[in-house]
């Protein structure tokens, strides 16, 4: 079921509760899986997946901000598979600003797939869940290779619930 939304928390909650998703939400989820597929099959140990409209929160280059994100990785819990670098829920951002630890376990109200780091174990897990055996054929267009096996087609839910995900307590990017 598809619907039009304005991106507000109420709309995200409605989508999760009623399983109603826009074409854009499904396309967004599919594009994240395609990026993860590409990184996995290229043999990368980790990848930063970011939407094209993110901007550094502090006045510096995107390369400097990505270097700061890389520096956070050794501080993450040892069992991480995804490190969420942005949440757009302003109430959560305010709560996280009071947390000393660099990461907290991801929760459903930590909306956003705007920027995250995924390691090879996380990529493998997602590819196992969402690629069928016949989907590895090169003649199948990449955007049509995935089996969205989830009760939610929101990228946040599908990605972050499927692997061990932690949210950074200091946002590096905005949208």
């Amino acid at each position: 079921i598809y619907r039009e939304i304005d991106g507000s928390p109420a709309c995200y909650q409605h989508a999760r509760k009623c399983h109603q998703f826009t074409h854009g939400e499904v396309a967004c989820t599919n594009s994240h899986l395609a990026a993860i597929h590409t990184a996995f099959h290229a043999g990368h140990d980790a990848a930063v997946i970011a939407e094209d409209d993110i901007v550094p929160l502090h006045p510096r280059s995107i390369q400097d901000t990505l270097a700061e994100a890389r520096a956070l990785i050794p501080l993450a819990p040892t069992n991480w598979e995804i490190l969420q670098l942005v949440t757009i829920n302003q109430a959560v951002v305010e709560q996280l600003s009071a947390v000393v630890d660099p990461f907290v376990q991801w929760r459903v109200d930590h909306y956003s797939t705007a920027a995250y780091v995924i390691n090879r174990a996380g990529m493998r897990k997602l590819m196992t869940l969402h690629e069928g055996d016949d989907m590895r054929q090169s003649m199948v267009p990449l955007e049509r290779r995935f089996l969205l096996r989830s009760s939610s087609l929101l990228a946040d839910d599908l990605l972050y619930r499927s692997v061990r995900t932690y949210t950074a307590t200091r946002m590096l990017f905005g949208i």
Side-chain angles (χ1 to χ4, degrees), residues 85 125 139 143:
L85 302 176
K125 191 179 286 185
M139 295 184 59
E143 66 274 6

Side-chain angles (χ1 to χ4, degrees), residues 94-104 169-170:
E94 290 173 22
Q95 291 169 354
L96 293 177
S97 69
V99 176
V100 175
D101 292 329
F103 292 96
V104 296
T169 57
R170 303 296 176 271

Side-chain angles (χ1 to χ4, degrees), residues 6 11-12 19 23 28 31 53 55-56 68 73 77-78 82 102 108 114-115 119 133 150 156 161 172 174:
D6 63 8
C11 288
Y12 282 107
H19 304 287
H23 292 282
C28 177
S31 70
D53 58 349
V55 293
E68 187 175 347
I73 292 172
T78 57
I82 288 182
V108 71
N119 67 21
D133 292 336
S150 176
D156 311 50
R161 286 181 190 260
L172 300 177

Side-chain angles (χ1 to χ4, degrees), residues 136-150:
R136 294 175 192 263
Q137 298 173 10
S138 61
M139 295 184 59
V140 177
L142 186 58
E143 66 274 6
R144 296 184 53 206
R145 291 183 185 184
F146 305 106
L147 305 172
L148 298 178
R149 298 175 179 161
S150 176

